[in-house]
Amino acid sequence: MFTTALRNVLAHKARLLMTALAVLLGVAFVAGTLIFSDSVGEAIKNASAKNLKDVAVSVQATSPPGTGPEPAKDGKRATALDQRLADRIRALPGVTSVRSDVTGEATLAGRDGEPIGNGWQNRAVNYQPDADGKDRRYPLVQGRGPASEGEIALAETTAKAAGVRVGDSVRFATDGPVLTKKLVGIVATDDPAVTAGGSLALFDTATAQKLYLHPGQFDELVVAAAPGTDQQALTAKVRALLPAERAEATSGSALAAEQSRLIARQNSALSSTLLTFAGIALFVGVFIIANTFTMLISQRSREIALLRAVGASRRQVVRSVLVEAALLGLVSSVVGFALGAGIAVGLRAALDANGAGFPNGPVVISPTTVLASLAVGVLVTVLAAWLPSRRAARIAPVEALSTVEAPPTPRSLVVRNILGALVGGAGVAVMLWVSTLTSGDDLPIAMIGSMLTLTGAIILAPLLSRPLVSLAGLVTSRFFGVSGKLAKENALRNPRRTAATGSALMIGLTLITGMTVAGHSAQVAMDKMAGSGLIADYQVETTTYVGLDPKLSAKVAEVPGVAAMAPLRGTGFTTAPGPGPDSNFGFLRGTDVDQIGKVTRLSVVQGSLDAVKAGGIAISESGAKEHGWHAGDTVKMTFYDKKKAELKVGAVYADNEALGASFAPTAVVDPHLDRLRNDKLLVKTANGTSPALVKEIRKALGDSPLLKIQDRDDLRKETAGQIDTIVNMVYGLLAMAVIIAVVGVVNTLAMSVFERTREIGMLRAIGLARSGIKQMVRLESVVISLFGAVLGMVLGIFLAWAGGSLVGSSFPTYEMLLPWGRLGLFLLIALVVGVLAAVWPARRAARLNVLESIGAQ
């Protein structure tokens, strides 16, 4: 029977080609994901290990439990790590050196004045030369290291991005005001944070301390030890020297292990996402494989009957079909794995080109990846062929010798329809329940409901295909005559096959439609939120959220063309004695009450702003309802600085996204801030937006590269752009499933043409022209494609509607809106898919010889 299976694969290789392609693409997706994850993970791990190569113990400054960092009035951090502690650690037995690090953030301006780098990854450190004047952690590529307050060195990639060379002046900012220093050196680094799109600036130690800490203080002490030193024992000795609750010591091995865990966690999210879509692609492929083997077994029923007649048992027939599937899966998986390796290399290059900046490293192909990829391909193929093999084994020799294809029994369809109704009904019930939920934590319930609904639709697809195909057939019959009617009859002839073919496309379009509707609705909601309540023409903030100097902020109001400016800064509070189940957390914004009504749509529904100006607070309508507060009530607050206050509710205002849940005069908020900084400025202009005015605002604020000045369109694009990015990524990943579905349509039509060779010959003999045959096959393809598309889009819209309440919990302005243009495009794509998928099968059908076709068995 193994020999028979092998001969069947070789004899029907042309018919199995499309099935092999479906398995190949799915395995390529899986293999590419695994190879990409392993390669990037290993590269980052090696880069991190190289950074930690000489680290025996790392001592880092911490804050006592229950407290945050301790900034001084000038905003600089205060730590317990100083030169004296470093000297005491250096004196321990086995210690060869102690590196005293100062770290911070510095955002550099490029030639165009815009910031370079990637926000929080814009690192700044102190350059620490050895006796030879060089810092071996940052090898010099050009020039020398910084040695005085007016000098700076940059990483090679940073200097290139900023467009500067040794000797040029470099403009940068750490916490607001722009600073300028002379570039004296360029260094190399393999720091993953820098290679992944960040930047690196280096200062001499005294300058770095002046910028970020206090003289003589450090953020980290990196201890190097002599070879053979016990890291754990040395860590214990270092720990004994540290001030209690002000610093912690970690061994180099523990630090490396922690970094490895973090890397694995970061990679697992991306890998899980990609593998999910790979699973979807393989799931779609299952329908194609099952369809192909069902048709092959139907066409080979006489052959199977002969095998049964000469003594082959039912079990042997099943084994023969499964071996055939396993061989097909193995060959397809091997080719798919090779393609997957190419996908992994291409994906890494594409992400690097878009600023991912992965460290250099070889392509990693582990034995586990090879075995997993091959096992997935073979297992999926064998499982998909299992039901067709069972049907083959049930064919009685006499029945098979007398008929080509027996239609499914009514009982089997009844059982299938009952099962589908139960599963689908359960899914719909769950999704109707989900539509009443409002918490994002209920997403797993929605996923279960979606899976049940989709599974039920797949099971019921043969039943659903009849009315939908018949409806489409009315159109094809009316406009295309005999060819249209024949196309409808062919699609209805075997509802199982039509359903299996259409289901592959249905799955892809269900997911794409659901994501499109939900994404479009969320995008519109975010768009409304970004602009709701905002009259200001500009919003000004910093890219690193360090805040804006209030003294400089005041100058913005004096810029010619600025009609009004309101600052926003804030602090957190609770309305209970402390954290606990009865605590009500909130955030109180401080602003200029006289100006805030000029830059936002402020509508007071209770009380008055005069009471707020007198030292009261204003509460949003939803916040007041939640807490049961009214104008005139007194609220006891405990602020984040542990200070308490009793404030009167001076006004209740209509919900306003720009203002948040509450606001008060800056005089109420300022005493509770560690550092007086504006989070953002809202600016209203006299004559609308203009580039010249933006330039003047930047100039008033010191022209810092940290500044981010956005008009209302920018705010809408920024918020809506996040949804667009996610939806486009999903489109790209689901494209594989749709491609496999198209392959399924081509495969089904090609094998259907072979199966109906004699019938096509008879049609040609009674006068149907070649063009009519082509049109018949094309229309059949279009009908099947539209069936899958319509069913998928209806399901997608339903799932998006039911799950919309979960999205609405994050966006108060959310409401489901149908993007008719995109939905129409999906239908058009399904139509095009149907036409294109039929090109080869239609040509093959039209070229059949009439006499040979009539004589075919």
Side-chain angles (χ1 to χ4, degrees), residues 647-666:
L647 299 174
K648 186 176 181 180
V649 178
V652 176
Y653 58 92
D655 288 359
N656 186 311
E657 185 66 25
L659 289 172
S662 61
F663 71 87
T666 53

Side-chain angles (χ1 to χ4, degrees), residues 429-443 445-447 514 517-519 521-522 525 797-817:
V430 171
M431 292 310 296
L432 290 175
W433 176 41
V434 167
S435 68
T436 65
L437 304 177
T438 57
S439 173
D441 295 335
D442 296 318
L443 182 61
I445 300 175
M447 293 178 67
V517 173
S521 301
I797 292 170
F798 169 71
L799 296 178
W801 168 80
S805 59
L806 304 183
V807 182
S809 63
S810 301
F811 307 114
T813 55
Y814 181 89
E815 60 177 327
M816 195 184 87
L817 299 172

Side-chain angles (χ1 to χ4, degrees), residues 637-697:
M637 293 183 171
T638 301
F639 291 94
Y640 281 4
D641 61 354
K642 308 302 182 185
K643 295 178 183 177
K644 298 181 179 181
E646 294 187 5
L647 299 174
K648 186 176 181 180
V649 178
V652 176
Y653 58 92
D655 288 359
N656 186 311
E657 185 66 25
L659 289 172
S662 61
F663 71 87
T666 53
V668 173
V669 173
D670 290 355
H672 306 288
L673 300 178
D674 291 328
R675 190 181 182 197
L676 201 58
R677 288 276 175 164
N678 288 319
D679 298 326
K680 60 182 68 174
L681 307 177
L682 300 180
V683 180
K684 176 65 178 174
T685 66
N687 301 306
T689 61
S690 73
L693 185 56
V694 171
K695 190 174 180 180
E696 289 300 317
I697 293 174

